[in-house]
Amino acid sequence: MQHSLPVVEISGTPAQRGRQYGEAVAGQLAASLGYYEEAFGASSGLTWQQVTARAARWLDPVRDYAPHLVEEMQGIADGAGVDLLDVLALNARGEVIYDDSFSGMHEVSGMREEEPAEGCTSFAAYGPASGDGHVWAGQNWDWRAGVQDTVVMLRIVQPPKPTLLMQVEAGQIGRQGASSAGIALNANGLGGRFDEAVGLPQTVIRRSVLDQPSITDALNVLCRTRAHIASNALLTCREGFAVDLETTPAGHGWLYPTDGLLVHGNHYQAGVPTALADGYRPLSPDSLVRVPRAEEGLRRLRDATGPDETRKLIKQSMSDHLGYPESLCTHADPREPEVKHWTTLVSSCVDLTAGDYHVTAGTPCDREYQHLPWNLYDGPHAPN
């Protein structure tokens, strides 16, 4: 397992960015395709060809909404020597899993087997919650352990749009990260099945959010696009503001921080959507433990005297093991087959005041934060 995350920087036109990206991560992308071929086969009996055929339904909607992102995905495919639909499937993996029109893929002994929502615990801390006076955002990103070594840190230089720093699986065009506009996006799966109307993949929405120059523009993307699956978006900006949106194809709920602190997990905290209210149960019950434990730990940031101490306290908080292995700091459960192992892939904390981005390549309990070689506000396109 890697002890630091690879860093990749891309620039130029969408096609040029994509090719640079694909060439840089060709090995990791091939490993990711191999893992998901195995994982989809184990969970649903689908071949990878069937997965890409199902992912193809998102090609036209993405091209209609953001043609430059299809160009970027084609560039990734060209650079890595794979097919465009391979890259699209990596960007729409969650949508394929939760697509109701393919509901038969989750039938087990006559019962539908629900895949758990992508696990994460996100936070924002500023004002009264931040003893050093800085604005902080971050998360533990919990997902399949089989893709641990495919995660990269991606810097995208794309004037006139903001420069982005993101943590992604190789080949993905968007996930969690922050921008030179001083905006951080941290995201969490929510689960639940909605109607069959085709919405946009989360990677496309999240990238489009981070591409925006202001917090209101970022919110506009979340409120005016229709996602295919439910997902939580925690937005934080360096001016000292945060808002959380529980986005679903059937409507949104929202939350604001309490005394400058906001934590969100994988259950609906603003209210269960009407479309799910009848018989709703959290798909990730451990989220009911992770959120209050993170809140309790992060309250200690109020006493921090500087950024170094804040990072230390964030690391301690996000390393909590109550409920191990399905704890805030998630570890693989030996009771499950290896293909189903989950872990914290990345723990991140971003100092939006100073522009410093820190990550761990795996569980934070046994790794130090890696300070990325770029500052958010480096370059000509950062705000004054």
Side-chain angles (χ1 to χ4, degrees):
M1 181 178 293
Q2 59 200 21
H3 294 288
S4 63
L5 294 176
V7 293
V8 176
E9 182 169 2
I10 61 176
S11 61
T13 66
Q16 290 169 337
R17 295 195 301 262
R19 180 172 283 277
Q20 293 163 19
Y21 183 11
E23 290 175 349
V25 302
Q28 293 102 323
L29 195 153
S32 186
L33 292 176
Y35 170 76
Y36 282 117
E37 180 176 13
E38 179 186 4
F40 272 101
S43 66
S44 63
L46 291 176
T47 65
W48 185 248
Q49 186 176 10
Q50 289 172 319
V51 172
T52 57
R54 294 179 176 196
R57 72 182 306 190
W58 284 282
L59 186 56
D60 286 342
V62 175
R63 185 178 280 122
D64 289 343
Y65 177 73
H68 62 288
L69 295 182
V70 174
E71 290 180 45
E72 197 167 286
M73 284 192 272
Q74 182 66 66
I76 294 168
D78 293 341
V82 300
D83 191 83
L84 172 61
L85 291 183
D86 291 325
V87 176
L88 181 60
L90 291 178
N91 280 276
R93 57 162 172 72
E95 284 71 21
V96 173
I97 290 172
Y98 282 99
D99 194 344
D100 250 353
S101 63
F102 305 137
S103 58
M105 66 185 287
H106 290 278
E107 295 295 332
V108 179
S109 301
M111 301 286 288
R112 173 175 287 179
E113 179 189 19
E114 291 280 3
E115 285 281 344
E118 183 168 359
C120 298
T121 310
S122 299
F123 70 88
Y126 60 89
S130 173
D132 63 14
H134 289 207
V135 177
W136 294 87
Q139 70 181 99
N140 279 6
W141 172 22
D142 309 327
W143 183 236
R144 304 296 186 89
V147 300
Q148 173 74 69
D149 291 334
T150 76
V151 176
V152 299
M153 296 304 305
L154 185 64
R155 184 177 192 239
I156 303 178
V157 181
Q158 51 174 3
K161 294 176 182 176
T163 297
L164 310 184
L165 296 181
M166 296 188 298
Q167 55 216 48
V168 296
E169 295 170 47
Q172 292 183 339
I173 56 166
R175 190 147 291 283
Q176 293 87 231
S179 76
S180 61
I183 298 170
L185 168 65
N186 297 99
N188 318 62
L190 288 171
R193 293 180 181 272
F194 297 84
D195 62 58
E196 297 179 10
V198 177
L200 291 170
Q202 283 298 320
T203 53
V204 172
I205 293 173
R206 295 176 189 180
R207 169 64 175 275
S208 300
V209 168
L210 284 171
D211 278 347
Q212 302 308 309
S214 71
I215 186 72
T216 47
D217 289 323
L219 281 167
N220 194 54
V221 171
L222 290 170
C223 290
R224 296 188 183 277
T225 56
R226 188 187 192 279
H228 194 78
I229 60 176
S231 182
N232 188 73
L234 174 50
L235 291 175
T236 311
C237 62
R238 68 174 182 171
E239 291 83 0
F241 177 84
V243 59
D244 186 278
L245 264 70
E246 295 177 348
T247 69
T248 85
H252 296 354
W254 52 89
L255 297 165
Y256 295 102
T258 300
D259 296 328
L261 178 64
L262 198 162
V263 176
H264 205 289
N266 302 111
H267 61 284
Y268 290 93
Q269 295 170 222
V272 178
T274 302
L276 302 179
D278 185 15
Y280 170 74
R281 299 178 185 183
L283 289 184
S284 300
D286 51 286
S287 177
L288 302 176
V289 173
R290 290 186 275 114
V291 169
R293 293 293 286 188
E295 289 174 339
E296 182 179 348
L298 292 170
R299 287 191 190 103
R300 295 195 292 266
L301 301 186
R302 292 177 293 189
D303 300 321
T305 57
D308 289 344
E309 185 179 0
T310 297
R311 284 194 304 275
K312 180 180 178 181
L313 291 171
I314 290 173
K315 182 180 185 297
Q316 289 176 355
S317 301
M318 305 308 279
S319 298
D320 186 75
H321 281 158
L322 181 66
Y324 181 95
E326 294 184 354
S327 42
L328 180 52
C329 179
T330 301
H331 293 255
D333 188 340
R335 297 169 295 184
E336 295 287 344
E338 188 172 352
V339 73
K340 291 188 175 182
H341 282 182
W342 284 59
T343 190
T344 297
L345 297 178
V346 176
S347 182
S348 62
C349 66
V350 183
D351 181 345
L352 287 173
T353 302
D356 295 317
Y357 202 126
H358 300 262
V359 292
T360 62
T363 46
C365 64
D366 52 1
R367 292 167 178 81
E368 295 302 319
Y369 277 117
Q370 168 190 353
H371 185 192
L372 294 187
W374 315 290
N375 187 281
L376 275 178
Y377 307 124
D378 286 343
H381 305 287
N384 295 324

